[in-house]
Amino acid sequence: MLKKGLILLLAVALLGLFAVNTVAATKKVEVTFWHAMTRANLDTLTALANEFMADHPNIQINLAYQGGYGDLSTKLLAAIMAGNPPVMAQMYEDWTMKFLEADALMPLGDQLSPATIVDIPQSLIESNTYLVNGKKALMTVPFNKSAMVLFYNTDLMKQPPKTWDELLQVSKDLTVVKGDTTVQYGFGIRPYTEFFIQFFHQAGGKIFNEDMTKCLINSEAGIQAMNYLLQLKPYSLYQSAYLSDPFGAGKVAMYIGSSAGITFVASASKGKHGWMTADLPAGSINGESMIQGTNIGVFKIGTTQVQRAAAVEFVRFLLSQKATIEWAEGTGYLPVLKSAAASDAWQKYVATHPDRKATTNMILKGFVYPHQANMYNIRSEIETAFEQVMLGKATPKAALDAAAQKIDSEYLSH
Amino acid sequence: MKEREPVKRGYSYKAQRRAYLFTTYFLLLVGAIVMLLPFLWMISTSFKPLSQTLTMPPKLIPSIFRWQNYVEAWNTAPFGKYFFNSFFIAIVETICEVIATIFAAYAFAKMDFFGKNVIFVAFLGTMMIPGEMLLVPNYITLTSFHWIDTYYALIVPFIVSVFGIFLLRQFFLSIPDELWDAARIDGSGRLGFLWRIIVPISRPGITAVALFKFIGSWNAFMWVLIVTNTPTMRTVPVGLSYFRTAAGTYFNQLMAAATMGMLPILILFFFAQKQFIQGIARSGIK
């Protein structure tokens, strides 16, 4: 009787163990990914996550939209302070520096193959590499990247300008004044920091000195860029709203803007005139384009080893040639691998979408913001100086000197 | 003989009255246009194709009426669920706040207790702390309660409103104390006096508090976004953020969604406007 009971007990225990193992085997590892993607971008991200989950049935990617970038940044900071960030998230470089201060991120460089790292354009490697405990480490990976390109009206010009001099001349030629009204502007100027920095960089400017202790925005390059933009101003529509609408309406013949705005340009110009993108007109020193957009980081606080491993697996997938091309096709962002940009699949896509040729060219001719935790405030100071000069309230030297002095004393001195 | 000077006549009463009325109506009309223009603009933009939303000179009447904007806006995010959540949260929050506010305002207006004024000033002092400063500490508190992504996080922190207490206290103060004496003679206790006399008299004030809360809750964005992670817990204002992208905003669809989101508030205001205006006027804070 006792023997029978013992066997029964053993059988039940074995069955129980089997059941526990089965549950453990079927239980998915959940990876929450906080992002700021909407519409077509979100659809493409969802498709990629589904594709990944089909190949990794034990991983569940939970995409969680957290509003615009500002909202996402606030929420990430709050979540880190509360000790429960998501497993992975989109992040800009200045946020990343704050997260690193809280020792919240795991390095991703060790998790990627050397072949993948070599395949990422150098400017993007630089923007994702941080000094952690005295050592440089690739902490995040590039995700939604766009480049500055020239949008031009193909009904008004066959060939876009290739240099600053040509840009000024074409802007003059295409500006049409009737009576007191300008009915068509050759160019468009939108007073935001990246617009100015684009010209500043092409004039050979560096925002900070080597050890990031002094702002150099008032250097010779800064003055040169401002003076050039002042020369362009009489032939430019100056407005703080996006320029895709006046461009589409035929009021602006060309403008420099982010490739992320391609869908808006296409929609605004539809049925009105032809348009195309081109490489940026080159400045006195270079023709490089500013690369913007966020990266992806994986959090080490508040997450388990298994979750982090699953997140790394998803990061590897997103950095595969196939996924980066699918992402670029669906969203208009850049493929973030050199091999992807050169691949037959991408070239075939570009052949049918010629507006993507210039953005592809710019991947290898890109530059990025240097790392500075106070970049948000610094950008705002530069923007104020840019606006003051454009509105004739200050000379380039006076405005840039004042901005540099304020940035030095308030954001770089400690 | 010296000729009599003609009597100087001022403008007739009728003419003065006409000028007064003309000025009044003119100013009211200007005010009405200023107030209505954003609404008209919102409705007009909600029917425009994207390419016409920011044209110069601006056009109030779209050249093509694009009704699909409403369908596309509705399909951009799970708005059905967002509307349900907005209604549910706003109604529960409003009911809870009205009850809590009535009790607190009554205590401050009609009862004597130790440190009443100090406590009331301390209450008012909390209104001077910007909400943004409390965002992170409140988030941390709710995380420790495991309330993130639940209705508790969306409702409980907003059940008490100092502004509501202040508004109703002012209202209750205008009710003569003799009524309490009379109620006591008739054998009423505090609770009976509050529910049978104070609350019915104060209906306009209570309606104003309820409306302020409902509108505040309906429009809340940042807090909802911060304490929720899944679309099933979010509200209409969060849905509106789906139309903004880093490269531009789909203004036509955004305005279509905003028009849909504004309708419940508009309907509510139409039904309660008399009480609402009386409530503000009688509380002495207009």
Side-chain angles (χ1 to χ4, degrees):
Chain A
M1 189 67 190
L2 191 71
K3 210 174 168 185
K4 266 187 183 171
L6 202 66
I7 290 167
L8 196 71
L9 203 70
L10 264 172
V12 169
L14 272 171
L15 267 172
L17 262 176
F18 179 73
V20 166
N21 276 336
T22 315
V23 169
T26 52
K27 199 174 177 214
K28 290 186 175 187
V29 182
E30 293 205 21
V31 174
T32 308
F33 179 14
W34 284 6
H35 65 86
M37 298 285 98
T38 55
R39 309 177 73 92
N41 299 349
L42 178 56
D43 293 343
T44 312
L45 183 59
T46 308
L48 283 170
N50 289 339
E51 224 172 279
F52 173 77
M53 287 188 287
D55 286 345
H56 300 79
N58 59 332
I59 299 175
Q60 172 70 38
I61 304 288
N62 296 325
L63 299 174
Y65 168 70
Q66 304 295 0
Y69 289 127
D71 309 323
L72 176 62
S73 151
T74 309
K75 187 156 177 178
L76 280 170
L77 272 176
I80 289 168
M81 283 183 201
N84 74 334
V87 185
M88 59 196 290
Q90 272 184 275
M91 56 191 72
Y92 274 108
E93 289 83 0
D94 48 346
W95 315 353
T96 308
M97 293 189 82
K98 287 180 185 138
F99 304 160
L100 287 173
E101 273 173 33
D103 199 18
L105 292 170
M106 72 173 280
L108 291 177
D110 314 339
Q111 310 294 331
L112 303 175
S113 70
T116 305
I117 294 175
V118 169
D119 204 7
I120 298 172
Q122 189 52 34
S123 61
L124 297 181
I125 287 289
E126 276 168 30
S127 68
N128 286 281
T129 302
Y130 297 81
L131 203 60
V132 183
N133 301 326
K135 274 182 164 179
K136 281 187 170 184
L138 188 76
M139 299 302 295
T140 51
V141 294
F143 180 50
N144 61 325
K145 295 293 176 184
S146 58
M148 289 286 211
V149 288
L150 179 81
F151 292 94
Y152 68 99
N153 183 328
T154 49
D155 292 0
L156 297 173
M157 67 194 99
K158 289 285 161 266
Q159 284 299 318
K162 291 195 164 39
T163 62
W164 281 17
D165 289 341
E166 285 179 28
L167 177 67
L168 183 59
Q169 190 55 50
V170 176
S171 299
K172 268 184 201 174
D173 295 346
L174 291 177
T175 299
V176 182
V177 182
K178 278 189 185 155
D180 291 338
T181 323
T182 305
V183 290
Q184 181 181 287
Y185 291 90
F187 193 61
I189 295 177
R190 193 174 148 232
Y192 64 107
T193 315
E194 286 70 29
F195 189 92
F196 169 70
I197 293 296
Q198 178 59 64
F199 285 88
F200 171 69
H201 180 87
Q202 289 194 345
K206 296 265 177 262
I207 305 175
F208 306 108
N209 64 352
E210 276 300 313
D211 50 4
M212 304 290 285
T213 52
K214 193 163 171 47
C215 177
L216 306 177
I217 200 80
N218 55 343
S219 60
E220 191 49 47
I223 311 280
Q224 194 191 335
M226 279 293 191
N227 281 330
Y228 177 71
L229 287 165
L230 277 176
Q231 280 181 285
L232 269 173
K233 174 105 193 304
Y235 316 107
S236 305
L237 175 70
Y238 179 82
Q239 66 167 41
S240 48
Y242 288 105
L243 289 162
S244 49
D245 286 297
F247 175 78
K251 195 152 191 186
V252 168
M254 56 186 168
Y255 79 96
I256 286 172
S258 163
S259 59
I262 282 181
T263 47
F264 287 90
V265 170
S267 161
S269 311
K270 200 175 175 185
K272 292 174 191 160
H273 59 78
W275 64 277
M276 191 42 66
T277 59
D279 289 15
L280 291 180
S284 52
I285 301 295
N286 63 60
E288 291 177 359
S289 162
M290 185 168 205
I291 308 267
Q292 300 172 75
T294 70
N295 309 303
I296 292 177
V298 175
F299 289 95
K300 69 178 178 190
I301 58 169
T303 55
T304 64
Q305 174 92 44
V306 183
Q307 283 176 315
R308 291 195 292 272
V312 165
E313 208 52 54
F314 188 46
V315 165
R316 286 187 191 131
F317 167 78
L318 289 176
L319 279 179
S320 66
Q321 199 184 99
K322 186 173 171 288
T324 189
I325 289 176
E326 204 176 318
W327 174 243
E329 284 183 6
T331 60
Y333 289 117
L334 307 175
V336 292
L337 296 175
K338 289 181 273 186
S339 66
S343 68
D344 286 346
W346 180 251
Q347 291 304 325
K348 207 183 268 180
Y349 178 77
V350 171
T352 53
H353 297 78
D355 52 280
R356 307 299 300 279
K357 189 168 185 296
T359 59
T360 312
N361 294 345
M362 288 295 145
I363 300 170
L364 298 174
K365 291 204 299 188
F367 72 94
V368 290
Y369 268 135
H371 288 167
Q372 222 301 333
N374 287 317
M375 206 61 209
Y376 182 82
N377 297 319
I378 291 170
R379 282 175 67 240
S380 161
E381 296 300 335
I382 298 172
E383 191 169 298
T384 306
F386 181 28
E387 269 186 294
Q388 280 181 333
V389 173
M390 287 296 112
L391 296 174
K393 290 182 181 167
T395 62
K397 183 156 175 31
L400 291 173
D401 279 349
Q405 202 178 355
K406 196 164 176 200
I407 292 167
D408 282 350
S409 62
E410 289 191 16
Y411 306 115
L412 300 182
S413 58
H414 40 79
Chain B
M1 207 173 117
K2 204 177 169 188
E3 212 173 304
R4 257 178 38 185
E5 277 183 33
V7 180
K8 275 188 184 168
R9 280 176 180 274
Y11 291 108
S12 69
Y13 171 75
K14 222 174 168 181
Q16 275 185 13
R17 174 98 189 126
R18 208 175 291 156
Y20 171 75
L21 279 178
F22 176 79
T23 318
T24 310
Y25 280 112
F26 178 75
L27 289 175
L28 282 174
L29 191 73
V30 172
I33 291 171
V34 169
M35 300 296 274
L36 278 174
L37 204 62
F39 289 98
L40 289 177
W41 193 252
M42 175 178 77
I43 293 164
S44 151
T45 307
S46 74
F47 289 109
K48 288 179 184 171
L50 183 61
S51 55
Q52 282 180 20
T53 52
L54 294 172
T55 47
M56 288 302 263
K59 271 164 90 178
L60 195 59
I61 298 169
S63 55
I64 317 159
F65 275 80
R66 200 170 180 279
W67 295 88
Q68 300 99 290
N69 289 343
Y70 281 83
V71 180
E72 285 166 8
W74 184 265
N75 292 331
T76 298
F79 273 102
K81 185 66 189 167
Y82 290 169
F83 268 94
F84 170 80
N85 284 342
S86 282
F87 270 115
F88 177 71
I89 293 161
I91 290 168
V92 174
E93 241 179 53
T94 306
I95 293 170
C96 292
E97 189 200 296
V98 165
I99 295 168
T101 305
I102 288 171
F103 281 114
Y106 179 79
F108 283 123
K110 297 287 174 199
M111 290 170 80
D112 286 317
F113 53 90
F114 177 73
K116 182 170 97 169
N117 289 335
V118 176
I119 296 172
F120 187 63
V121 170
F123 254 57
L124 288 185
T126 61
M127 282 173 74
M128 291 172 194
I129 303 169
E132 289 77 7
M133 264 183 70
L134 298 172
L135 207 64
V136 173
N138 283 346
Y139 179 86
I140 294 171
T141 308
L142 292 193
T143 304
S144 60
F145 288 174
H146 300 287
W147 278 7
I148 298 297
D149 219 21
T150 66
Y151 284 119
Y152 295 122
L154 294 166
I155 295 168
V156 176
F158 301 99
I159 283 177
V160 174
S161 150
V162 176
F163 175 70
I165 294 170
F166 172 67
L167 190 93
L168 266 197
R169 173 188 174 267
Q170 298 303 100
F171 211 93
F172 290 173
L173 281 175
S174 68
I175 298 168
D177 289 338
E178 286 75 16
L179 282 177
W180 168 229
D181 297 334
R184 251 195 317 188
I185 290 164
D186 286 344
S188 170
R190 287 262 181 211
L191 212 58
F193 174 62
L194 178 63
W195 289 116
R196 292 203 190 96
I197 297 165
I198 296 272
V199 169
I201 295 176
S202 312
R203 231 172 42 200
I206 294 168
T207 311
V209 168
L211 265 178
F212 274 128
K213 171 52 66 177
F214 192 90
I215 294 168
S217 172
W218 187 268
N219 290 336
F221 169 72
M222 199 56 187
W223 180 254
V224 180
L225 190 71
I226 292 285
V227 299
T228 61
N229 292 325
T230 48
T232 49
M233 294 307 298
R234 288 184 166 162
T235 56
V236 174
V238 177
L240 297 184
S241 70
Y242 274 85
F243 303 99
R244 279 186 301 145
T245 74
T249 302
Y250 292 85
F251 279 110
N252 52 350
Q253 292 176 21
L254 173 63
M255 292 302 145
T259 306
M260 291 188 281
M262 195 204 62
L263 277 179
I265 297 280
L266 205 64
I267 293 166
L268 196 71
F269 188 77
F270 270 126
F271 281 111
Q273 61 172 322
K274 197 175 149 198
Q275 308 268 348
F276 186 62
I277 292 161
Q278 270 185 18
I280 299 289
R282 281 183 51 190
S283 61
I285 57 159
K286 59 182 167 176

